[in-house]
């Protein structure tokens, strides 16, 4: 059985010493970040592993003292993957023989973090990393098989070298200084006792987005064209008080500007410095499971990316207040939660508060089927079942008359299932949800019951031996809509995903959301080099019910009242370059071809382009 380095004491990971460096203050921190990043970009790239497009397969032992005499390392090159493995073969017994690990270029592109850990890419097809990465490139918790797919299966968002939610990172491996491979590691593990289990991890991020909308929102905003930009910065502190208790806090601030811009209302695009997260977590072993509880303010991502991905476009992602509890066994996990959304509308610094008008609650479970081999490829499949409930105190419903809506609130109950993973080269995600509940008009009129559904599927074939290891497949979604011509007492059939599914799942421009749609189209993911990835897709979108409107998201809708079902075709591409461990750049482009019926109703076709820069430590 193959054991990744660093999992056991006899299989530690290699290191690069940074002893003698002194880091103090924000200036020194970012100078180190910039110098490390610039040095990294000068080194040549290496080819990725065959079955894990983003994985590096160099596993070296540390310098150790062993009781065997070992010959010189033997280099073996695997033709299919062109990955290099160094093995040390024991011969005659001896004693106190020091074995030195070969010199490793830790700034090689093969040792960059997996691209799938980029927050914006969370909704992209979630390729399983079936072969293990070196421990120095993973900072995941003790989640076993649920650390597959860069940790997305564990329910905390992706967790690779960095995580979508920074508190999900585990830097305790840096207790062994030989695991420190980066100049910034001095900030990731700051011990306060000799045992090393009381320590502090610091984190930070600066993100800047630029947006160009030729005809924003099908031209509905009347801003032609619109140039928008926003940025945010955040710093986090993760204090571990022994094995069972930790405190996490994160401050965040965001701003937005541009020319002929729009859509900055609501407090999540422009926000002064405030507590984005602040919680206490207690963890231990109960009934052979790793059990934990969290209380306070936190991010939440334990849902399929077509339900929520934290909303990455506004300056501030969603944060929630409340309770969360989880338990992990070997092949099964369960997560329960009751959360209220943070109210970011106050403009003063440190005035965000618990918002009781929007609530999210439920239970999520996941079962990891036993690993198997299919078509000579390692395979892993997850079966997720869940119940998601939410309450929205302000949720106007559209009417058949353009510009007229019915004020009210809604309560939705959404049980669902998702089966996803890979069977050999076949990578797939198939999910279904039913949604019940009711809509309550604000004027005490008759409430309307809800019966809606959503079916979401992506399936691809991974051509592992082709250049770029492309995965080529098809995506299809069927999400029910309502009937604006129905009576005030009739059942409403419109499905809602109000917490902003990933923009990379269906429509990068977010002009069309996961409500009242049928879409189908080809999709491809390619990794041209170890530190770049390309997503291509061309969804063709129809309205599920022509008696309902077009929705950009679950909370808003357009005033267009087209007659036909066909809505738009959305060819789009996303290119990401992980320049260094600390610098990521990307550019996304899309052209929205509006249908004739949409144009006749007042809509327009147009281009959407955005660029992204992230600095992370």
């Amino acid at each position: 059985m193959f054991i990744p380095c660093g999992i056991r004491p006899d299989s530690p990971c290699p290191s690069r010493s940074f002893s003698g460096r002194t880091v103090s203050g924000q200036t020194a921190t970012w100078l180190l970040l910039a110098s490390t990043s610039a040095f990294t970009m000068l080194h040549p790239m290496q080819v990725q592993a065959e079955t894990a497009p983003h994985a590096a397969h160099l596993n070296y032992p540390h310098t150790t003292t062993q009781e065997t005499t070992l010959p010189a390392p033997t280099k073996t090159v695997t033709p299919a993957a062109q990955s290099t493995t160094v093995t040390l073969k024991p011969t005659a017994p001896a004693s106190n023989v020091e074995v030195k690990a070969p010199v490793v270029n830790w700034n090689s592109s093969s040792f960059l973090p997996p691209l799938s850990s980029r927050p914006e890419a969370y909704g992209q097809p979630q390729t399983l990393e079936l072969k293990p990465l070196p421990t120095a490139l993973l900072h995941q918790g003790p989640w076993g098989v649920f650390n597959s797919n860069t940790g997305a299966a564990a329910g905390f968002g992706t967790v690779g070298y960095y995580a979508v939610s920074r508190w999900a990172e585990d830097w305790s491996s840096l207790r062994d200084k030989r695991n420190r491979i980066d100049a910034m590691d001095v900030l990731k593990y700051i011990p306060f006792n000799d045992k090393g289990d009381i320590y502090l991890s610091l984190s930070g991020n600066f993100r800047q987005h630029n947006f160009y909308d030729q005809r924003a929102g099908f031209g509905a905003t009347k801003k032609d064209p619109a140039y928008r930009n926003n940025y945010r910065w955040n710093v986090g502190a993760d204090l571990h008080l022994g094995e069972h208790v930790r405190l996490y806090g994160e401050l965040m601030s965001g701003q937005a500007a541009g020319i002929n811009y729009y859509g900055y209302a609501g407090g999540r695009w422009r926000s002064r410095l405030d507590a984005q997260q602040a919680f206490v977590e207690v963890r231990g072993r109960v009934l052979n499971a790793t059990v934990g509880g969290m209380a306070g303010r936190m991010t939440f991502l334990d849902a399929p990316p077509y339900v929520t991905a934290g909303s990455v476009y506004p300056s501030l992602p969603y944060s929630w207040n409340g309770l969360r509890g989880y338990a992990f066994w070997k092949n099964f996990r369960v997560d329960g939660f009751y959360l209220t959304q943070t109210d970011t509308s106050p403009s003063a610094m440190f005035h965000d508060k618990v918002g009781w008008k929007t609530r999210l609650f439920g239970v999520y479970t996941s079962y990891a089927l036993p690993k198997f081999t299919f078509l000579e490829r390692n395979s892993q499949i997850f079966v997720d079942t869940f119940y998601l409930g939410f309450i929205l105190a302000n949720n106007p419903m559209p009417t058949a008359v353009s510009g007229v809506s019915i004020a009210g609130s809604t309560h939705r109950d959404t049980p669902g299932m998702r089966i996803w993973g890979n069977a050999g080269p076949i990578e797939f995600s198939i999910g279904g949800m039913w949604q019940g509940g009711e809509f309550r008009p604000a004027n005490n009129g008759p409430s309307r019951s809800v019966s809606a559904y959503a079916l979401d599927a992506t399936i691809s074939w991974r051509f592992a031996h082709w250049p770029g290891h492309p995965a080529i497949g098809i995506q299809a979604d069927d999400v029910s809509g309502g009937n604006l011509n129905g009576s005030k007492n009739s059942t409403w059939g419109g499905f809602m995903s109000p917490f902003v599914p990933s923009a990379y799942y269906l429509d990068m421009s977010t002009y069309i959301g996961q409500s009242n749609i049928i879409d189908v189209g080809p999709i491809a993911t390619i990794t041209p080099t170890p530190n770049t990835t390309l997503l291509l897709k061309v969804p063709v979108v129809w309205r599920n019910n022509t008696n309902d409107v077009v929705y950009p998201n679950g909370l808003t809708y357009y005033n267009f009242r087209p007659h036909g079902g066909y809505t738009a075709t959305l060819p789009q591409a996303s290119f990401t370059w992980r320049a260094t461990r600390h610098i990521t750049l990307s550019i996304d482009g899309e052209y929205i071809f509006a249908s004739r019926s949409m144009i006749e109703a007042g809509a327009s076709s147009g281009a959407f382009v955005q660029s992204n820069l992230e600095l992370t430590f």
Side-chain angles (χ1 to χ4, degrees):
M1 182 176 66
F2 181 81
I3 302 295
C5 67
I7 300 299
R8 298 189 327 208
D10 60 351
S11 62
C13 285
S15 66
R16 184 177 183 181
S17 174
F18 286 90
S19 59
R21 291 181 184 256
T22 302
V23 178
S24 59
Q26 185 178 23
T27 302
T29 298
W30 288 103
L31 285 174
L32 278 173
L33 186 154
S35 61
T36 305
S37 302
F39 181 73
T40 302
M41 289 189 285
L42 297 178
H43 286 269
M45 295 180 290
Q46 298 183 18
V47 181
Q48 302 163 334
E50 171 229 338
T51 58
H54 308 306
H57 271 306
L58 302 180
N59 293 285
Y60 297 105
H62 288 308
T63 300
T64 57
T65 300
Q66 301 183 4
E67 295 183 355
T68 57
T69 301
L70 302 178
T74 301
K75 178 182 288 187
T76 303
V77 179
T78 305
Q82 295 296 305
S83 62
T84 304
T85 304
V86 174
T87 57
L88 299 177
K89 300 179 179 180
T91 56
S95 60
N96 298 326
V97 177
E98 183 174 347
V99 181
K100 294 185 177 181
V103 177
V104 179
N105 176 15
W106 287 104
N107 280 316
S108 165
S109 60
S110 291
F111 288 88
L112 289 170
L115 280 161
S116 51
S117 65
R118 175 176 172 249
E120 280 79 354
Y122 178 56
Q124 291 189 16
Q126 298 176 3
T127 305
L128 289 171
E129 303 288 356
L130 296 176
K131 289 188 178 181
L133 291 165
T135 308
L137 290 186
L138 293 176
H139 298 103
Q140 301 173 326
W143 315 130
V145 67
F146 296 100
N147 281 331
S148 300
N149 186 22
T150 321
F156 306 119
T158 54
V159 186
Y161 194 81
Y162 299 119
V164 176
S165 298
R166 303 302 303 275
W167 51 263
E169 300 166 4
D170 184 350
W171 294 85
S172 60
S173 63
L174 296 184
R175 294 180 191 180
D176 186 342
K177 294 183 179 180
R178 297 173 298 176
N179 282 331
R180 300 182 181 182
I181 66 173
D182 190 279
M184 305 303 293
D185 284 348
V186 297
L187 301 176
K188 309 308 294 185
Y189 178 77
I190 305 172
F192 295 111
N193 64 343
D194 293 337
K195 186 178 179 181
D197 61 347
I198 300 177
Y199 67 93
L200 179 69
S201 291
L202 300 178
S203 61
N205 174 267
F206 173 84
R207 191 197 72 174
Q208 198 261 344
H209 280 183
N210 298 294
F211 304 91
Y212 166 77
D213 297 86
Q214 185 180 16
R215 296 285 288 163
F218 289 99
T221 66
K222 308 302 180 183
K223 301 288 187 177
D224 305 323
Y227 300 87
R228 296 175 294 151
N229 59 74
N230 75 313
Y231 68 87
R232 76 169 182 229
W233 66 267
N234 60 285
V235 291
D238 190 2
L239 178 62
H240 291 253
L241 302 175
E243 180 182 354
H244 302 293
V245 180
R246 65 100 169 252
L247 306 173
Y248 181 80
E250 182 176 278
L251 300 178
M252 184 174 290
S253 175
Q255 293 298 325
I259 301 173
N260 209 27
Y261 59 79
Y262 66 94
Y264 287 159
R268 293 183 54 236
W269 289 89
R270 292 170 170 164
S271 178
R272 295 187 178 181
L273 187 66
D274 216 307
Q276 175 74 3
Q277 300 187 74
F279 65 84
V280 58
E281 179 184 21
V282 178
R283 182 194 300 176
R285 294 286 297 177
V286 178
L287 299 176
N288 294 321
T290 299
V291 176
M294 303 164 63
R297 181 173 295 177
M298 66 197 77
T299 56
F300 180 82
L301 290 171
D302 201 0
Y306 47 78
V307 173
T308 184
S311 185
V312 297
Y313 277 2
S315 306
L316 271 64
Y318 286 130
S319 74
W320 301 86
N321 307 270
L323 301 173
R324 180 178 186 179
Y326 59 81
F328 284 80
W329 287 266
K330 180 179 180 181
N331 291 90
F332 179 78
R333 72 172 180 90
V334 60
D335 184 5
F337 46 92
Y338 189 94
L339 306 167
T340 65
Q341 196 174 99
T342 303
D343 181 1
T344 59
S345 60
S347 58
M349 187 180 300
F350 294 109
H351 273 64
D352 288 356
K353 56 187 178 182
V354 176
W356 298 102
K357 293 184 178 181
T358 301
R359 307 185 190 189
L360 175 66
F361 43 89
V363 177
Y364 201 101
T365 72
S366 183
Y367 174 69
L369 297 178
K371 294 182 179 180
F372 61 97
T373 301
F374 179 65
L375 295 180
E376 300 181 348
R377 293 280 301 276
N378 294 332
S379 305
Q380 180 66 69
I381 294 175
F382 297 93
V383 179
D384 299 353
T385 57
F386 54 87
Y387 160 76
L388 302 173
F390 60 86
I391 296 173
L392 304 176
N394 183 18
N395 176 223
M397 179 179 288
T399 68
V401 180
S402 177
V404 178
S405 62
I406 302 173
S409 61
T410 192
H411 172 197
R412 301 289 178 99
D413 300 297
T414 312
M417 175 178 286
R418 181 189 182 205
I419 303 175
W420 64 288
N422 83 297
I426 304 171
E427 300 171 1
F428 64 93
S429 170
I430 301 173
M433 295 174 282
W434 176 83
Q435 194 168 79
E438 63 178 356
F439 171 78
R440 297 180 179 179
N443 59 0
N444 296 321
S447 62
R448 298 183 66 173
S449 62
V450 173
S451 180
Y453 68 88
L455 302 173
D456 305 275
T458 303
I459 183 167
S460 300
W461 186 287
R462 175 70 63 179
F463 296 90
H465 298 284
W466 290 15
H469 314 289
I472 301 174
I474 190 170
Q475 176 178 330
D477 303 277
D478 181 3
V479 185
S480 65
N483 184 353
L484 300 179
N485 298 321
S487 70
K488 295 182 179 180
N489 297 315
S490 63
T491 298
W492 179 251
F495 188 90
M496 287 188 68
S497 293
F499 306 123
V500 189
S502 170
Y504 289 84
Y505 180 77
L506 175 64
D507 176 17
M508 296 174 189
S509 70
T510 67
Y511 294 174
I512 296 179
Q514 288 288 103
S515 296
N516 190 35
I517 61 168
I518 294 175
D519 68 84
V520 64
I523 183 169
T525 56
I526 307 169
T527 54
T529 68
N531 63 340
T532 60
T533 184
L534 176 65
L535 170 66
L536 303 169
K537 61 196 312 182
V538 187
V540 182
V541 183
W542 296 263
R543 283 184 294 160
N544 180 294
N545 190 329
T546 57
N547 291 317
D548 198 2
V549 296
V550 178
Y551 296 84
N553 58 62
L555 298 175
T556 60
Y557 50 88
Y558 296 110
N559 287 328
F560 308 129
R561 296 296 186 268
H563 296 288
Y566 170 52
T567 304
T569 299
L570 312 171
Q572 50 199 286
S574 173
F575 179 77
T576 301
W577 175 35
R578 178 82 83 177
T580 75
R581 293 189 188 93
H582 307 290
I583 301 176
T584 304
L585 301 101
S586 67
I587 185 166
D588 307 325
E590 175 181 351
Y591 196 88
I592 297 90
F593 291 96
S595 69
R596 176 174 295 182
S597 65
M598 285 283 287
I599 293 174
E600 290 175 349
S604 301
S605 299
F608 170 82
V609 180
Q610 71 159 325
S611 63
N612 314 295
L613 166 67
E614 286 194 66
L615 307 178
T616 307
F617 77 88

